Amino acid sequence: MTLGSDVSGMTTTAASAAAKGLSIVVPVYNEAAGLAVLHQRICDLAKTLRQRYRLGCEVVYVDDGSADATLSIARSLPADAVDVQVVSLSRNFGKEAALMAGLDHARLGAVMFMDGDGQHPPALVEQLVRHWIEDGYDVVYTAKAHRDNEPFLRRVAVRGFYSLINWGARQKIPEDAGDFRLLSPRAVAALRQLPERNRFFKGLASWIGFRQIRVDYEPAPRTHGVTTFSAARLLGLSIEGVTSFSVAPLRFASLLGVILAGGAFLFGLSILWEVWTTGKQVPGYPSLVIGLMTIGGVQLIMIGIVGEYIGKILSELKARPIYFVAEHSEKHFETGKADDASKRTAAE
């Protein structure tokens, strides 16, 4: 029984990468206001990639249960320089499920994930593609160049999250890395073979290994609306990531238990020493109540941490589908007409 997978046969070179093509996966949720503009920018980008690398592209829009006109607008988008797939989920399953749906429906070799809010500049895609085709990297991920414009507490929370999730981890998750990344065909094949349902794409893309490179960038301002990620949702995503890729909370629980036990032992020795040397007994009620409250609170916290891991085990055992597709449509770009247009442009 083989417990690994050999994807060496899917290695791409500069000569073969163009034949694989690129699928651009864009999860969208209530992005009706800016979707048409984003699609036009992607089409312009696809024309550039076709001219420079002869790289065919498709875009996969995954509607994650939007409550506005996002789905109807996505249906009407033209297949101009790119094939267009529209995958509509039966309800809002969350961004991680939407990314998985896009990965499952991507038909071309390499896959790129980008957000639908316009903050991931399509112009940067050329650099990511160049690292894949010309430099031979399998995972090209982007990260925020800095967080100077964010509140102090948010910066501290983000740094604490990455410190916790990478504490003792063999495969570190790069700090400030986002979902805006490109995966080569063999990286895509590896990612598709990971069976877990509680998915954290930032961690999974790092865990699979291969040659990876970081590209720093400045996120563009949102073209419309405000972010739907509240503090509660970000906290939930952080808990999901930590419990999926790290046993740091359990190790912290063990360490805290050792510290409390050691403190209690030393406190007991001090009481014995005071009784032995002075003959006075320490009044026990205040210290007893404080001790019981401390130990009880710590135990409840530890039970909650263990419960998070047990809950994830239960979710995996249920083996429910990650998402359901309510509607799927495709539009295909006619390559022949595009080649004729390119020839006419060159002749002129």
Side-chain angles (χ1 to χ4, degrees):
M1 177 178 174
T2 302
L3 298 180
S5 179
D6 186 352
V7 294
S8 59
M10 303 184 69
T11 302
T12 54
T13 62
S16 64
K20 299 292 185 179
L22 174 67
S23 294
I24 303 174
V25 174
V26 185
V28 289
Y29 178 68
N30 294 341
E31 303 288 356
L35 190 56
V37 174
L38 175 65
H39 182 70
Q40 184 58 52
R41 294 171 68 186
I42 291 177
C43 290
D44 294 340
L45 168 69
K47 294 175 184 177
T48 301
L49 294 178
R50 186 182 296 275
Q51 294 174 357
R52 181 167 301 177
Y53 298 107
R54 303 193 63 81
L55 184 68
C57 297
E58 72 164 352
V59 57
V60 183
Y61 293 109
V62 183
D63 176 42
D64 191 20
S66 297
D68 62 1
T70 297
L71 180 57
S72 61
I73 292 176
R75 291 196 200 105
S76 66
L77 296 174
D80 181 14
V82 292
D83 293 342
V84 179
Q85 290 192 61
V86 179
V87 179
S88 176
L89 304 187
S90 61
R91 65 170 176 84
N92 179 248
F93 285 90
K95 186 178 181 181
E96 299 296 318
L99 290 174
M100 189 64 212
L103 182 67
D104 288 340
H105 286 82
R107 295 182 295 105
L108 303 184
V111 173
M112 174 176 294
F113 299 108
M114 63 185 302
D115 288 350
D117 56 11
Q119 289 191 288
H120 292 166
L124 187 61
V125 174
E126 293 182 51
Q127 182 178 352
L128 306 189
V129 171
R130 184 173 68 250
H131 282 306
W132 164 46
I133 293 180
E134 298 181 3
D135 302 331
Y137 286 97
D138 292 289
V139 179
V140 187
Y141 64 92
T142 63
K144 289 185 177 181
H146 62 81
R147 293 183 176 270
D148 296 341
N149 58 339
E150 296 183 358
F152 173 75
L153 290 180
R154 183 183 177 90
R155 296 200 301 268
V156 172
V158 169
R159 186 172 297 275
F161 165 74
Y162 282 103
S163 298
L164 182 61
I165 199 172
N166 287 325
W167 180 30
R170 294 184 60 187
Q171 184 65 35
K172 309 294 185 182
I173 296 179
E175 188 170 344
D176 294 331
D179 292 317
F180 185 25
R181 66 184 65 219
L182 183 148
L183 304 173
S184 73
R186 65 175 179 175
V188 170
L191 196 60
R192 282 174 172 159
Q193 294 182 44
L194 303 181
E196 61 257 43
R197 284 159 175 77
N198 296 284
R199 306 181 74 85
F200 184 61
F201 266 88
K202 295 178 184 179
L204 293 176
S206 176
W207 184 86
I208 60 175
F210 301 110
R211 293 189 65 201
Q212 304 200 7
I213 187 172
R214 169 175 174 148
V215 176
D216 289 334
Y217 81 109
E218 293 283 351
R222 287 182 63 92
T223 56
H224 61 279
V226 295
T227 179
T228 57
F229 271 91
S230 62
R233 291 187 65 184
L234 289 173
L235 178 61
L237 181 62
S238 299
I239 294 175
E240 181 74 25
V242 169
T243 53
S244 295
F245 283 90
S246 176
V247 293
L250 297 177
R251 292 179 178 176
F252 176 75
S254 300
L255 179 61
L256 185 57
V258 170
I259 292 174
L260 287 176
F265 179 73
L266 294 176
F267 184 59
L269 288 181
S270 69
I271 292 175
L272 290 176
W273 175 257
E274 188 171 356
V275 173
W276 179 265
T277 56
T278 66
K280 297 180 180 179
Q281 296 187 2
V282 179
Y285 292 107
S287 58
L288 180 61
V289 171
I290 293 175
L292 288 176
M293 290 179 65
T294 301
I295 294 174
V298 169
Q299 286 178 334
L300 289 176
I301 293 173
M302 298 308 111
I303 290 173
I305 292 175
V306 174
E308 285 287 338
Y309 285 93
I310 295 175
K312 296 181 77 67
I313 294 172
L314 177 62
S315 177
E316 295 293 335
L317 289 176
K318 287 179 179 178
R320 292 174 179 170
I322 300 175
Y323 61 87
F324 288 105
V325 175
E327 179 182 327
H328 179 212
S329 62
E330 297 183 31
K331 293 180 182 178
H332 296 284
F333 170 64
E334 297 182 19
T335 308
K337 291 183 178 180
D339 292 339
D340 291 342
S342 298
K343 291 177 181 178
R344 288 197 299 271
T345 302
E348 292 174 357

